[in-house]
Amino acid sequence: MEKIERDRIIRLIKREVVPAIGCTEPIAVALCVSEAAHLLEKKPEKISLFLSANILKNAMGVGIPGTGMIGLPIAVALGALAGNPAYELEVLKDVTPEDVERGKQYIAEERIDIQLKKDISEKLYIEVTVSAGNDCATAIIAGGHTTFVYKERCGQVLLDKRTPSTEEAQDEKLPLTLRKVYDFAMTAPLDEISFILESARLNRAAAEASFKGDYGHSLGKSLQDDNERRIMGDSVFSHILSCTSGACDARMAGAMIPVMSNSGSGNQGIAATLPVVVYAEENRKSREELIRALVLSHLTVIYIKQDLGRLSAICGCVVAATGSSCGITYLMGGAYEEVTYAVKNMIATLTGMVCDGAKPSCALKLTSGVSTALFSAMLAMEHKCVTAVEGIIEDDVDRTIHNLTRIGSQGMNETDRLILDIMTHKCP
């Protein structure tokens, strides 16, 4: 692979695999609010938000870091009062208990108005207008969790990228195939890709922190108990499930713990990282093997998400666990052929898993995804693969991936709407 193409792929990975604190949808809202407040250059008296349905869905039931509270209002208030937009997806990392109390008061004063943005096709859309006296400022994020497309202060437009240039669009969506992903992961010089080890460090630390507290449903911690060990054994398999679900437990409960995200999702970053890390550690794989497996996992996720979109009705663990299955298959000794088998097995199994918002029970879904990742890798190493006469699987692995992304980006739009309707009309 030519260096110019390697460099483009490395830039893509570094853009998509970044640290984040808290669930990325409410954090992206906090980031947009924080940017609008900084444009206003004073404390907002009123904040109006128009959000896409998927943003609302993923922000309703998740904990906000450092607050002990759930949902958008506190994220909005803290974004305005204490957020630092320079931190991007770690925008709330400097929040103090005093800030939280000020945020609660801000909410009690009914200064925040949150509405659904109707008649838009973009699934990731955040529009924020803040005002104080006669002054106002607007910021819009669309397409990516940190992608500002519009900024305005008191009628003066400071940024307008709502229609991206052809060059920007081409840079955003780098043409990939699974073969290219695999070849890059296997052949890139180690000094160019060793940065991926930071994902192992951050996400492993998040898992370890979760075992010291009681976060969410404490699934990761429960899987370490004697009762569970008697059923599942003290094995690599159980360790992978415990570690992965534990990091998710902490993140979804609002722990002030950074994780390395992938394609705008911390849970995707966790599921793409920790199964690979634990498998490599417990099977004494080399540093080089771990680096290449992590790159293969993360870049596979990025490749699939480019076509699927940032947010969809398909649970992100389907994609992220597919990445980790590729990484584990490589660590088991598999080559490209076995990796394609693992991908097909994953897509044949998990495609129907829906996303019903970010919340503590996401740890259960990650555990299901990671379990399937291991099964798929083991079957792949035995050259057992779902065939092209079965369901949405085709002989060509990239066409199989495209079938998955078509279902998620086109076929399940009505599912998305129905899920949001159910979530917003539940009895108290």
Side-chain angles (χ1 to χ4, degrees):
M1 186 177 291
E2 297 292 332
K3 189 175 188 307
I4 188 169
E5 186 170 25
R6 290 206 315 271
D7 288 344
R8 288 188 69 193
I9 293 174
I10 288 168
R11 286 199 302 272
L12 175 65
I13 297 173
K14 288 184 174 180
R15 186 169 70 238
E16 298 291 2
V17 181
V18 297
I21 295 178
C23 176
T24 45
E25 277 69 58
I27 293 302
V29 173
L31 171 62
C32 198
V33 172
S34 180
E35 179 65 26
H38 275 67
L39 293 175
L40 188 64
E41 297 179 343
K42 60 180 73 173
K43 175 184 174 181
E45 296 171 358
K46 291 284 185 181
I47 305 176
S48 298
L49 301 95
F50 290 91
L51 309 175
S52 61
N54 286 77
I55 292 291
L56 282 173
K57 181 181 75 173
N58 281 352
M60 290 172 61
V62 70
I64 306 303
T67 69
M69 300 174 67
I70 290 173
L72 274 174
I74 190 64
V76 172
L78 291 177
L81 300 175
N84 185 340
Y87 294 153
E88 295 194 326
L89 292 180
E90 296 179 287
V91 60
L92 300 183
K93 73 176 183 178
D94 290 341
V95 164
T96 66
E98 292 74 23
D99 293 326
V100 175
E101 292 306 313
R102 289 196 298 141
K104 292 177 181 178
Q105 181 62 33
Y106 199 83
I107 295 169
E109 293 168 355
E110 298 183 348
R111 298 179 181 273
I112 300 169
D113 179 42
I114 301 173
Q115 297 185 45
L116 174 67
K117 181 74 173 182
K118 298 179 180 179
D119 301 322
I120 58 167
S121 58
E122 175 57 62
K123 294 185 177 182
L124 198 165
Y125 183 89
I126 303 164
E127 178 181 331
V128 176
T129 297
V130 295
S131 60
N134 295 323
D135 296 331
C136 65
T138 296
I140 299 175
I141 285 176
H145 291 77
T146 62
T147 306
F148 284 95
V149 298
Y150 188 81
K151 298 178 185 180
E152 176 190 314
R153 185 184 187 279
C154 298
Q156 180 184 3
V157 176
L158 306 173
L159 172 74
D160 192 349
K161 289 187 175 181
R162 287 174 290 186
T163 303
S165 67
T166 302
E167 183 178 344
E168 289 171 330
Q170 289 175 343
D171 187 57
E172 181 69 22
K173 191 172 182 180
L174 182 64
L176 293 171
T177 63
L178 190 65
R179 177 88 239 189
K180 187 176 290 186
V181 167
Y182 178 84
D183 287 347
F184 173 84
M186 296 302 107
T187 63
L190 279 188
D191 62 339
E192 294 182 7
I193 58 175
S194 60
F195 66 87
I196 203 68
L197 288 175
E198 181 65 6
S199 69
R201 186 189 70 81
L202 273 187
N203 292 342
R204 168 62 97 173
E208 294 299 328
S210 74
F211 301 144
K212 299 173 183 175
D214 292 305
Y215 296 104
H217 298 291
S218 295
L219 179 59
K221 199 172 180 179
S222 295
L223 289 171
Q224 294 185 332
D225 290 346
D226 289 340
N227 287 336
E228 281 71 15
R229 288 286 167 87
R230 277 195 290 270
I231 297 171
M232 300 184 65
D234 187 7
S235 64
V236 176
F237 178 68
S238 64
H239 298 168
I240 286 174
L241 297 189
S242 176
C243 199
T244 305
S245 58
C248 183
D249 283 330
R251 179 174 176 268
M252 291 289 93
M256 191 64 84
I257 300 169
V259 301
M260 192 67 81
S261 66
N262 183 305
S263 302
S265 166
N267 284 349
Q268 286 171 186
I270 289 168
T273 303
L274 288 176
V276 175
V277 171
V278 176
Y279 186 90
E281 289 174 350
E282 300 208 10
N283 286 278
R284 296 185 176 88
K285 297 298 177 179
S286 68
R287 178 176 180 272
E288 177 175 351
E289 288 173 309
L290 174 58
I291 290 171
R292 297 200 184 281
L294 284 172
V295 169
L296 177 59
S297 178
H298 277 283
L299 190 55
T300 298
V301 176
I302 292 168
Y303 164 42
I304 300 173
K305 290 294 290 185
Q306 278 192 332
D307 202 27
L308 179 62
R310 297 280 177 165
L311 302 174
S312 78
I314 287 182
C315 177
C317 82
V318 174
V319 179
T322 299
S324 62
S325 188
C326 293
I328 290 170
T329 300
Y330 159 71
L331 291 174
M332 288 178 171
Y336 177 69
E337 184 179 18
E338 288 77 23
V339 167
T340 67
Y341 294 162
V343 170
K344 291 178 183 180
N345 290 339
M346 289 294 293
I347 291 174
T349 309
L350 287 180
T351 295
M353 186 179 289
V354 298
C355 171
D356 56 341
K359 58 211 174 300
S361 60
C362 286
L364 296 166
K365 294 190 177 186
L366 255 67
T367 303
S368 296
V370 172
S371 299
T372 304
L374 287 158
F375 297 148
S376 295
M378 289 187 292
L379 288 172
M381 291 304 296
E382 296 178 6
H383 279 217
K384 293 177 180 177
C385 171
V386 178
T387 66
V389 299
E390 302 175 71
I392 64 171
I393 305 305
E394 301 201 28
D395 288 325
D396 184 277
V397 69
D398 293 296
R399 286 181 60 84
T400 301
I401 289 170
H402 183 60
N403 292 343
L404 164 70
T405 60
R406 281 182 61 203
I407 290 169
S409 61
Q410 301 172 34
M412 295 180 72
N413 287 334
E414 183 57 36
T415 300
D416 236 358
R417 287 189 287 270
L418 179 58
I419 289 171
L420 181 64
D421 182 70
I422 292 171
M423 290 174 65
T424 54
H425 291 88
K426 288 192 292 187
C427 296

